[in-house]
Amino acid sequence: MKLYRFLTGPDDATFCHKVTAALNKGWSLEGSPTYAFDAATGTMRCGQAVVKKVRGKKYDPDMKLSEQ
């Protein structure tokens, strides 16, 4: 099965660490990152889609994707 996640976070090192952790767990970048101003908080936000192929499992909407 192929899994999809969209990682988001503030424009700081925590976002980079979140993406790095996903890459080190076998996830791959999918598409370009996004960058937008959050008017509610007055900060910039980042986003990046990641995908991962997992063999031997079937998709379940209750699964925690971050644990795959």
Side-chain angles (χ1 to χ4, degrees):
M1 94 178 124
K2 189 171 187 178
L3 301 175
Y4 170 90
R5 293 173 62 199
F6 187 70
L7 306 175
T8 62
D11 179 24
D12 63 16
T14 60
F15 177 74
C16 296
H17 286 288
K18 186 185 292 189
V19 174
T20 299
L23 294 173
N24 281 288
K25 289 182 179 179
W27 294 83
S28 298
L29 300 176
E30 181 75 12
S32 299
T34 60
Y35 194 60
F37 181 71
D38 182 346
T41 62
T43 60
M44 295 301 291
R45 305 278 301 170
C46 301
Q48 175 65 57
V50 292
V51 294
K52 182 178 184 180
K53 287 187 180 179
V54 177
R55 297 180 192 267
K57 291 188 179 182
K58 293 194 178 218
Y59 175 72
D60 178 349
D62 293 326
M63 68 177 26
K64 290 200 66 143
L65 297 177
S66 62
E67 295 177 358
Q68 299 303 312

